Structure formats: C-alpha cells, structure tokens
Amino acid sequence: MLRPRLRPGRLTEIPDSKVGQLLSVLDRSGLPQRLEELLDGRPGPPGVRPRTVLAGLMLAVYYTGRATVAEAWRILHFRLRPTARVWLGIPQAPPGSARECVAASRRLYRGLDRITTVLDPARCDRRRRLPQADADAHAAAWDTPAGRQAAGRLQKLANDLVLTPVRIAQQRGHLRGWRGDIGVDATAIPVLAKPDSEFSGTASVEITAGLHFSGGSDEGVFGYSATFLVAAHTRPAHVTGTTPAKTTAYPQLCLGLVLDTPTVRTGPNAITLLRQLDELQLPKGTCAADRAYTGCSPQHFQVPARRLGYRLALDYKVKERGLQGTWQGALLVDGSLACPRMPTALVEATHGADDKAVRIRSDELKEAIAQRRPYFLKLKESADARGTVRLQCPAAGPSPSVNCPRRNRLRPNQPRSSGPPPTVVNLADTRSRAAHPAARPTVQLPDNEWLDLPPQEDLPAVCGASAISVPADARGDLKTAKYRQDTHYLSPTWDHTYKPIRSHNEGINGRLKSGDMDIGNPKHRPAPGQVTQTLLIAIMTTIGNLDILETWLYQHTGATLDNDTGLSREPHGTPGPDHPAAQPPGNTGRPPPRVT
C-alpha cells in the first residue's frame, strides 16, 4: 500500500461540473448499482461505497493519468468542493492529522478490496509469491464453469463502463457518419510483477498473467492482453480507382474492452465484445482483424462474426497464401472462391510469397492480382440473417466477366431480345467495349472435354448451378470457414478496406498508451490481480473515450461535453445532505497503524 503523502502546492480545487460529469457517466453505466447488489449481505464493515471508490479513481485518471488509490485519496479528501463532497459522501473537513490521513486512505483501500473480492473467481493472497502448485490451483479456478461465469460478469461490468461514452455519442447523433466498420486487435498490458520463478518454485503475484507476443517480436511482454474494438472506416476508391472518397466525420471511440491471459480465448473475447456491441443496434460493416484472429478456430471467431452480420477482411501467414481449399468445385484462392479453371499461374501467384513481397508488391504480382479478378465468383445475394451468401459463376448473369464454353453448354444464355446480336461496337464507349466478349478472358477447358463431353454430375457443382450457397460455417469445411473473406486479398479494394481499419487500431492503442494517461505503463496502475487490472484499465479506457469524444466535439461543433451531451452538473441519484450515503464514514474498520 502506498503511504498517503500530500503536495500542498498542487492541491487545486476541482470544479463541481467535472465531478458531476464523471459521476453521471459512472451512474449511467450501472456499475456502482450492480456492485452494491453484489456486496449486499456480505460480512464485514461496509467501508467506503463502491461509487465513491470508482469516482475517485476516475477523477485520479482524468487529472493525473494514474489509476491509483493514493491519487484518488488526495483528490477525494483535499481537492473537492463542498457540493461534490456531499455527492460522494466525503467529510467536509479534510483529515487534520497524519493519523487521520492514514485512516482515510486505509478505508479507501478496503473499499477497493471489497469490490475486487466479490468479483474475483479465485481470491488469493496477492501480497506475496505463492508456491507454484497453490498458484496453479487458483489459476485453474478461472477455467471452471463457475470461474468463467464470474469472469464473464467481470468483463460485462467493465465493458458497460467503457461503452457509456459510446451510448452518449449514439444518443446525441455523433455516430451518424459511422458506417459500422470495426477493427479488432489485442495489445499488451504489462504488469509490475515478475514471471514465475523456476529457481525458487514460486509463482508470479499475477497468477493469471502470461507472455504477450506482438507481431514480428520474439520477446514476450509479461502481463495481460487487452482486446479492443475501435470504430473505424474504409477508404472506398473513387470511380477512377485512385482517389479515396470522402468519409463523414465521427469520433473514433473504443467500442469494447476485454482483459485476459495472452493467447487464451483470442477469438471468443472478440466475439464477446461484438455481441455486447450488438445490443446498441449500431450499423454493421466490415470487421478487420490481423493474423492472430485468422488463425483462430472458425467456430470461435469467423463463424459467429459472420452470423452477427459482419463482413470479414483478413490477412494470412506465408504458408496460408495461395490455394486454400475448395467449395462445391470452386477454388478457394486467398479467401475468395474462384472458377475451377482459373489458370494455375494465377492461383499460385501468392504461394510462398513472404510478408515483404506482399507488403511491397512487384509489378508482376500486381498484374497477377489484377488478372485474378474476372475469375472470382460474383455475389448474387448478400448474407442473410444466418450469414449465408449466394455466389454465382463468373460466366453467368447479364454481365459475365469471363467466357466459358462449359457454362454455355450446361446453361445456354437466352437472348434478351429477338434478332441477331449486334455486330457493331461503339469503341468510344468504355462500357460497350468492356461488355464485348473479346474483352473478357476465356476459360480454358481440358482437351478431353472438347472431344468427350462429360455429364453434368461429373463436373463441379458451381459450373451447372445458377448459384451456390456458402453458409457462415461452410457446413463444417474447416478451411473455407476459416479463410474465406469478403474482399479479394491484396486487391485495391482490400487495400482500401483492411489497411485503414488496421491503422485505426494502432491509433487507439497509441492514444491510450501515450501522454499522461498511459495504460501501457504498469506504474500508473500498480494494484495487482486480474480483477483489479480489469477495472483500472476499464476506467482509463472510459476516460480516454471521454477525451476522444470531447476533443471531437470541440473540433467539429465548438461545443464541450457538458453542454452537448446533456450530462447533468448534478448527477442522477445524488444523495442529499441528510441521506445516509452522504454522511461521513464512522469507525467501520480496523484502527489505523500507529504513525511515528
């Protein structure tokens, strides 16, 4: 425990309007009320109310960037005005002696300890390193059904707090310009504790922490992984294919947070956030994720994401590029289903290509990617409520992209008008030139098929069907369910979709890991334990969201968060001076230690 210390020269008063604003955000999240319900009837002295503890931590993060009880204690007892003290049940007079300072600080620590105790699936002593066997038993309790239920409750409460600024922005119409594109990523959250010691046979104080490996790094960071969702947008190309279209402005808020052990439940944590975001009934666009999510089991990420209504933009490892599988005879080439007779050179254009070759593409690779496009199956019907899409042969429909003798034999095109086809083409018209068969590539059939026509049942299903259905789970086809995405890999459309969304992920990470409030600095949140770290990271992320929203409002409307969002200066449910919650706490705990 940090001993309370004062710096009288920096004890500036905090305006009641800011206290009221943060209290309104806290009350709208429902977190204090839920904690009061969980703590009701538990043995022991009540101590400081959860609402006061959480409000003190939020004020500490806002004004100092540190989520520590010591900073919260200084603010609550020495920097609040009388009205705000009544709101939070803080005595009007600050502690007048060293003994009173220690007693007030200890009460605040015990208030946080009560919160973490009721939320912890496996409470243990976090003040010392436990024997490895004891720590393993406590860590294993997190994976039991009761432990997962408690962990889910913790993540839900934390995420409700993070989503409160998002709800405010939605209610005030600030997200009208957002089309529903989302970036999902996991970032390292280091801790002060050291890893397990093989020499002494003791475990880390952070019993559920692990090593987080960032992309391209061989050295892991000991701590937790924070999964973030961020409101993002793509850069749809102009008609010329070179000029990005203008995007309507919106605040790029963090849309969710899950803190968990690294490399564990990577996909399920992202789906947990997407499902909680689904409750806000916001638009759904493209969800872009890096190769850590592509490598997940499709039942844990890709399938539920599609069933929630999101299109996927993915990246692949070196060994995953090129031909990935088949579906009803169609080839799965870099996540897109293509004609069974796509030329082998185009199918294998990315086979074995390393990351550098994909990142800085040669002219030959660019040309091969462009030549692939006519062979890809065309979207006939967008995804339904179950995530099933309908695709058709590239030679089918009124606007075929290839010429296919096999398709013409199996399903002859009916002329749309009587009389012979036109023999004159307007070469000055771009659309007329593109629609002419001579402008399209022709599918090359096997030599034996020209001489001995095989029956339709012996040919791929995609060739003879009007369209094929591709369910979200591909009916158990692992590779199709895992690798299929909704944009053609490495195409200009993919560049304008995947790269901007991924840059927004890096942007939210940089914003939350820089400046005074740095969630990546473990000294800004030294309290140990996954439960405590989850709450502190949630508080810091919420303050980060409020800062993003307030900055965006000022830049685009000139308004402040107070007068634009309607956050009351007097928070909802504020106790009056005669309310028991507004009375100063009495002797509800153990006596403070002797001060020398």
Side-chain angles (χ1 to χ4, degrees), residues 447-528:
D447 294 338
N448 59 353
E449 188 169 339
W450 293 100
L451 302 176
D452 185 13
L453 299 180
Q456 180 173 346
E457 54 269 17
D458 293 343
L459 296 175
V462 66
C463 296
S466 60
I468 60 172
S469 297
V470 187
D473 60 353
R475 299 195 188 99
D477 187 294
L478 177 64
K479 292 185 176 180
T480 302
K482 183 174 185 176
Y483 296 125
R484 184 174 66 85
Q485 59 175 309
D486 297 276
T487 53
H488 301 319
Y489 186 58
L490 303 184
S491 67
T493 303
W494 185 85
D495 287 336
H496 290 146
T497 301
Y498 183 82
K499 292 182 178 180
I501 297 179
R502 290 291 302 152
S503 69
H504 294 318
N505 272 120
E506 299 302 326
I508 196 70
N509 291 342
R511 183 130 189 192
L512 295 177
K513 287 188 172 183
S514 61
D516 295 334
M517 187 194 68
D518 181 4
I519 66 172
N521 187 346
K523 293 183 179 179
H524 289 183
R525 39 173 180 79

Side-chain angles (χ1 to χ4, degrees), residues 346-359:
L346 299 183
V347 173
E348 298 180 351
T350 56
H351 179 72
D354 58 16
D355 294 339
K356 183 178 180 180
V358 168
R359 185 170 56 252

Side-chain angles (χ1 to χ4, degrees), residues 197-239:
S197 173
E198 296 181 0
F199 176 77
S200 63
T202 57
S204 173
V205 174
E206 299 282 356
I207 61 173
T208 56
L211 292 176
H212 177 102
F213 291 91
S214 300
S217 175
D218 294 331
E219 287 191 21
V221 177
F222 185 72
Y224 298 97
S225 290
T227 302
F228 286 119
L229 296 184
V230 62
H233 62 264
T234 62
R235 288 198 303 266
H238 193 261
V239 176

Side-chain angles (χ1 to χ4, degrees), residues 2 17 37 48 97 112 130 159 177 180 257 310 360 364 366 373 381 397 488:
L2 298 177
S17 60
E37 295 173 0
V48 181
S97 65
L112 178 61
L130 299 176
N159 205 40
L257 160 71
Y310 290 95
I360 306 175
E364 291 79 8
K366 291 180 181 178
R373 184 174 181 84
E381 294 180 13
H488 301 319

